[in-house]
Amino acid sequence: MTTDETQPTATRPGLPDDTDLAARARAALLACGADEAALAGDQPARTPITGGELARVTWATAAEVDDAVGRAVEAFATWRTTPAPVRGALVKRLGELLAEHKDDLAVLVSLEAGKTTSEARGEVQEMIDICDLAVGMSRQLYGRTMPSERPGHRLMETWHPLGVVGVISAFNFPVAVWSWNTAVALVCGDPVIWKPSEATPLSSLGAAALLDRAIADTGAPQHVSQLLLGGRDVGEALVDHPDVALLSATGSTRMGREVAPRVAGRFGRYLLELGGNNAAIVAPSADLDLAVRGIVFAAAGTAGQRCTTMRRVIAHSSVVDELVERVAAAYRTLAIGDPTTDGVLVGPLIGAPAYETMTAALTAATEQGGQIVCGGTRVLEDLAPDAYYVEPAVVRMPGQTAIVRQETFAPIVYVLAYEELDEAIALHNAVPHGLSSSIFTADQAEAERFLAADGSDCGISNVNIGTSGAEIGGAFGGEKETGGGRESGSDAWKAYMRRATNTVNYSGELPLAQGVEFA
Ligand code: NAD
């Protein structure tokens, strides 16, 4: 695939055998406190590291969803009147257990999602961080008071627990996304039912086991947390259940397009975290050292399988050639292989369909006038024919063609050139998604323009850092086909609660609002 086969490539460590990986998964899972019986099922849990089997688990059926929702509704009756700071104590305990078992859970994330050990630990750290944030939040679920227009009246808003929250999650953040939802939902007084990705059952069993332990330790109602492993049918049953008050779904735009109308049709609430086609603008004044590092981490890290992965670079014509050369040079030094080995920076794709999608995208890019500068080749096939390791690709494009406008969930970064900032911003925004964005510039006016109302149209806009690696303190999510949802920090908690406006009359009279007379 590459036009440049002669360049030196990074070392590619050998791969572990399946028995070793299965033993590591089992040890990590049991250390988290999961029940051995969970591994006595008939559905294979696989690792993208070799394509081999790690364990067998049991999937729920769609029919079991109704029972789970019934149990959650019962738990809600107790949980919603439990004082929020007491609910916070459960989340505090979860955070402690996550810190204690950070490495165990990270092992499961690496084995199932193919993340490097450092990135997998980062994912668990993010879970600990959201627990900290949510514990603080449990004392800050503030409502406002407003001046009433009537004498002797008080006007205020109060926030109450919403009800059962259904969480559907994607393979690439197998535990963090659940924790963003769960830590906040729990302090808000809502029980959670989780349907994780089919590809990552062991990570979810590990995380759910830790929360079960926290529930037992703090005496919270048992069914404030339930895990339902399973396929799309289980997800659909959650989507359609009238007692699921909020459906929080993370995954592809295709999935969101199916889920949103179904939940809306029953007047449920939904929170969608869908795909992204994230870009960085690199201005003439940019510090290229910074830009190269930011691009390589955001575009090649996690093998291009983050929702916030950088998929487009829009670089000024005066810097684009040097930038491409330097990014390609950095790409050639990336160690690709077993993500649990020290020094490896790029692990496997999740599976064969992801590889096929990447190959098809590169073919389309070439047909649409693109030039593959480096990468795109499958490697380590001889060691593991059922695993899909690829060299991250850099592709120069003559314009923003159809393939550039779509999200390909693999490590391909398309590079476009621009002359004027307005043109760059227009190109930046001319894609269906609106998740994450960045500009590399030393010109403050350009940075401000990018962050302004007529700048980036994304939910996340950064200056002088890449598109991925958000902190949990801010609200996370994006616009357009990314779904419009916001999770984790800031006031994202409001999605998990219902607001009541209260007017209290202590005047002894009954004046009507707007001066209306009715007598
Ligand atoms: P996916 O859409 O294939 O699956 C996600 C989840 O949805 C799985 O649990 C799946 O079983 C379930 N599902 C699929 N169709 C469903 C339906 N009709 N009804 C109910 N449930 C259904 O996504 P994936 O391949 O696991 O993850 C990759 C995608 O997720 C990418 O597009 C990525 O950008 C996106 N993502 C977005 C965010 C974000 O926060 N915006 C975070 C992570 C991943």
Side-chain angles (χ1 to χ4, degrees), residues 455-473:
S456 161
D457 63 0
C458 289
I460 299 168
S461 307
N462 299 330
V463 177
N464 291 329
I465 63 165
T467 51
S468 64
E471 298 178 24
I472 50 91

Side-chain angles (χ1 to χ4, degrees), residues 43 58-66 69 167-168 193-198 228-241 244 247 254-255 258-259 262:
Q43 287 289 337
T58 305
W59 278 14
T61 61
E64 288 169 54
V65 170
D66 192 47
V69 174
V167 174
I168 294 176
I193 302 176
W194 180 20
K195 205 300 278 177
S197 164
E198 296 84 331
L228 294 176
L229 301 182
R232 185 176 160 156
D233 58 328
V234 174
E236 286 175 341
L238 268 180
V239 166
D240 291 336
H241 203 292
V244 173
L247 196 284
R254 176 206 59 77
M255 177 273 287
E258 289 166 15
V259 164
R262 288 169 74 155

Side-chain angles (χ1 to χ4, degrees), residues 23-241:
R24 280 196 246 169
R26 184 186 171 80
L29 197 54
L30 297 182
C32 288
D35 191 344
E36 264 205 276
L39 300 180
D42 56 0
Q43 287 289 337
R46 298 190 177 281
T47 173
I49 296 175
T50 58
E53 195 172 301
L54 292 172
R56 294 207 159 208
V57 296
T58 305
W59 278 14
T61 61
E64 288 169 54
V65 170
D66 192 47
D67 290 342
V69 174
R71 290 190 292 267
V73 167
E74 228 169 84
F76 181 56
T78 315
W79 197 235
R80 68 180 167 185
T81 53
T82 303
V86 176
R87 299 194 298 246
L90 167 61
V91 175
K92 182 166 185 234
R93 182 67 191 129
L94 173 62
E96 288 166 358
L97 288 169
L98 284 166
E100 211 175 291
H101 292 281
K102 183 171 174 177
D103 289 351
D104 297 319
L105 202 51
V107 164
L108 294 169
V109 170
S110 282
L111 296 185
E112 285 194 314
K115 290 191 182 189
T116 63
T117 299
S118 174
E119 287 186 284
R121 286 190 183 137
E123 173 157 1
V124 183
Q125 184 57 47
E126 196 171 18
M127 302 172 80
I128 298 165
D129 294 345
I130 192 74
C131 286
D132 283 350
L133 187 83
V135 173
M137 246 180 217
S138 71
R139 292 182 186 268
Q140 300 174 75
L141 303 172
Y142 299 132
R144 298 168 185 233
T145 55
M146 306 83 167
S148 169
E149 67 188 50
R150 287 168 283 184
H153 284 60
R154 183 156 63 88
L155 188 58
M156 63 178 185
E157 66 182 22
T158 44
W159 290 87
H160 298 295
L162 183 67
V164 178
V165 174
V167 174
I168 294 176
S169 58
F171 82 85
N172 65 321
F173 274 93
V175 284
V177 166
W178 164 76
S179 73
W180 297 350
N181 282 282
T182 299
V184 175
L186 286 175
V187 299
C188 289
D190 305 328
V192 176
I193 302 176
W194 180 20
K195 205 300 278 177
S197 164
E198 296 84 331
T200 55
L202 303 182
S203 306
S204 49
L205 282 167
L210 292 173
L211 180 49
D212 285 347
R213 284 170 61 183
I215 289 169
D217 290 352
T218 56
Q222 188 190 351
H223 295 123
V224 292
S225 161
Q226 295 180 77
L227 169 66
L228 294 176
L229 301 182
R232 185 176 160 156
D233 58 328
V234 174
E236 286 175 341
L238 268 180
V239 166
D240 291 336
H241 203 292

